[in-house]
Amino acid sequence: MLKPINWIAAVILCLVAVGAPAEELRAVYFGNSFLENSVPWFHPTLAASAGKQLKVHTALGPGWQIWMHVDAMRRNPEGHPRKLLTSGQWNAVVIQHFGTHPGLKNNVRKSVFLNQQFDEPRDVSDLASASEIIDLLLASAKNPDEVYVFIYNSWPGIPGADELNKRIQAETEKSLQAAGKSREEILKQLKERKPTPEEMDPLVRAFRYADHWLGRYEWNPEVPWMSKNAHSRDYVSQLMEELRAKYPQLAKTGRLRLIPNGEVFLALDQKARAGQLPGLDNIGRFYTDGGHVRCGLPRYTLAATCYTVIFGEHPGKLDATIYNNKDNYRNDRLPQPGYVHWPDLGELIEITPERKKLVDDTVWEVVRENPYTGARPVPRQ
């Protein structure tokens, strides 16, 4: 068990020699659909609206854990992600932590899933896997002192959503079979069927985000997928402490940073419950299916948090227009090649001026105060 986090010491460390953002950031993104939910292919456009230069390449897979990206690069050293990391042309990585199954650290295994066998035992934990990606970038960088590492924080799901989705899928399949639909048509419609806001409403009303985000991380080595609160403050704080210890120079210079989506969601949940977020009564309204988030305001929130951590600036100057039109998310309309899973978008939550200001200010408050973002806290007036 790790020692309790010393937040005061962490803040002091964060204040020492904080590195300035790169003039032009060239980042490779590693993650799954939770990172896709921020719509990385919009990030350069969003950054450009505030006068920043950001180049993005994505390595994303459905449900992928960090070790899967590492395994893919080991099996295919000539593949695009590894070649990018070792080219010396990219100076940053954005890595989404996973948590539940691979665990925080010291999870050495010969296999993970039945169809995934290794030649020799391997540590598949988030710490070991993220470190392998970081090491590849540092070893190949033209100037290691200009390398940035951003850990993209996942958020807790809504309890009961999996069961709701399974019930909806079963009922939909039965209905389509009764209508005489072909197997191909049934599978296509099942893939696209997501709960409606009305179907999600009972679960959203009962959702207490803070209970899950503030819960204690509990690793279950016997049944890893039954570990508790892997998407929590406790988990990501422990991960960041481990990474700080392993990469002290990155930490000391403010180039190892957390993108604290979970903390932003907590702050927005508190404000929504206080009636300060127009039209939304709790952060559960952001969710499409209990995990993925809806298009519009929720996805802009994730992107604004990325921007604020990457460039160290208040996101108020950002033009959110690209996030505010659902047609922009179509794969044939993305600013650069990418893939957005259309059913996950749900119904758009409009980005109004009032909502944007509250989100922007909240993101800035959280990023400024969090000890792992690399930001320089500003004294309260």
Side-chain angles (χ1 to χ4, degrees), residues 146-162:
E146 294 180 354
V147 165
Y148 289 77
V149 174
F150 304 98
I151 301 301
Y152 181 92
N153 179 211
S154 299
W155 50 89
I158 297 180
D162 286 344

Side-chain angles (χ1 to χ4, degrees), residues 9 25 27 30 59 75 107 120 130 140 150 236 251 345 364 369-371:
L25 204 77
F30 291 90
R75 292 176 185 271
N107 185 10
E120 57 186 27
S140 305
F150 304 98
V236 76
L345 294 170
W364 181 240
E369 295 174 2
N370 189 280

Side-chain angles (χ1 to χ4, degrees), residues 219-294:
W219 167 243
N220 186 333
E222 301 301 323
V223 190
W225 52 90
M226 296 297 289
S227 299
K228 296 181 180 179
N229 299 319
H231 294 171
S232 66
R233 174 187 289 174
D234 186 35
Y235 180 90
V236 76
S237 296
Q238 292 189 45
L239 176 60
M240 292 304 295
E241 287 294 315
E242 292 286 348
L243 287 169
R244 280 179 177 273
K246 189 164 187 176
Y247 300 99
Q249 187 63 21
L250 286 176
K252 185 175 71 172
T253 56
R255 292 179 292 115
L256 171 60
R257 304 181 184 180
L258 173 67
I259 299 174
N261 300 309
E263 295 289 356
V264 170
F265 278 19
L266 175 66
L268 288 175
D269 182 64
Q270 293 169 338
K271 292 183 179 183
R273 292 178 186 278
Q276 298 172 13
L277 185 53
L280 302 170
D281 57 2
N282 78 69
I283 199 65
R285 302 297 175 190
F286 270 28
Y287 292 68
T288 308
D289 54 9
H292 304 102
V293 299
R294 296 162 63 180

Side-chain angles (χ1 to χ4, degrees), residues 342-353:
W342 188 262
D344 291 344
L345 294 170
E347 296 183 14
L348 183 138
I349 298 179
E350 184 183 2
I351 306 171
T352 64

Side-chain angles (χ1 to χ4, degrees), residues 182-195:
S182 69
R183 187 60 183 164
E184 182 179 353
E185 289 176 309
I186 291 174
L187 290 176
K188 180 181 178 181
Q189 291 193 41
L190 287 177
K191 184 179 180 181
E192 296 176 352
R193 177 69 163 95
K194 290 285 184 176

Side-chain angles (χ1 to χ4, degrees), residues 6 116 146 205 220 248 276 306 312:
N6 187 332
Q116 193 70 62
E146 294 180 354
R205 288 181 180 275
N220 186 333
Q276 298 172 13
C306 290

